Amino acid sequence: MPVSAESHEPPGYACPFCAIAGGAEPEFTAWRSEHVFVQISKHWGPASPGHALVIPTIHYENIYTLPDDVAARIARMVRLVATAMRRGYPCDGVAIRQNNEPAGGQDVWHLHTHVVPRHNDRPSPENRWELADGAERARYAVLLRRSLESVV
């Protein structure tokens, strides 16, 4: 049974990820290609500094309408980001999450996948997000960019 492609974007929605895809916030972008980019999230918990988002450059609200070729590019980049985090960050593992619709926890209406560094000695950051410091976001963008260059 097909899933409805009902939109949850409010009228006049100004998509922040479309703005970033258009060149906003380059200091927090760790990687960019024609189809996907990697942005250091502006929200992270005390247990997950360097939390990254893998985002398609073209606006797709959620997984239901995502073309297979774009899904494959996103999945590949998620794997590369996870690998780069393990090599370039001080972390013990990663968590990967992609939310759809309000009931699924989605609150930005542009598909994105979270790649979250995790640590053995720190609790799960679920529901403990804080605004990240801009200098720290930029520092993690550089760390992740350097590490991605070695795995891409």
Side-chain angles (χ1 to χ4, degrees):
M1 177 162 77
V3 174
S4 167
E6 176 185 348
S7 177
H8 297 280
E9 293 180 11
Y13 183 66
C15 179
F17 294 157
C18 286
I20 294 167
E25 300 187 0
E27 68 274 24
F28 307 129
T29 301
W31 191 262
R32 178 179 298 278
S33 72
E34 179 183 351
H35 302 283
V36 67
F37 63 98
V38 178
Q39 185 81 359
I40 301 300
S41 178
K42 70 177 183 179
H43 295 104
W44 65 41
S48 61
H51 169 170
L53 305 172
V54 178
I55 308 165
T57 56
I58 295 174
H59 185 93
Y60 300 99
E61 184 173 332
N62 53 42
I63 197 88
Y64 309 122
T65 59
L66 188 66
D68 289 344
D69 63 318
V70 178
R73 287 182 172 101
I74 292 168
R76 178 178 183 273
M77 186 53 63
V78 166
R79 180 180 56 81
L80 292 171
V81 168
T83 301
M85 278 184 179
R86 285 293 288 126
R87 291 183 179 179
Y89 283 15
C91 69
D92 300 307
V94 299
I96 296 167
R97 186 180 74 233
Q98 196 276 311
N99 303 325
N100 296 281
E101 300 181 286
Q106 185 178 12
D107 59 3
V108 175
W109 310 116
H110 185 129
L111 180 124
H112 58 287
T113 303
H114 299 258
V115 184
V116 184
R118 293 287 176 92
H119 306 269
N120 289 328
D121 62 344
R122 298 181 196 165
S124 171
E126 298 299 322
N127 301 318
R128 295 183 57 207
W129 304 115
E130 302 168 355
L131 278 178
D133 174 75
E136 277 294 285
R137 283 180 75 199
R139 186 176 76 80
Y140 273 98
V142 170
L143 278 175
L144 189 56
R145 184 178 309 114
R146 287 180 182 154
S147 192
L148 276 166
E149 287 170 354
S150 72
V151 298
V152 172

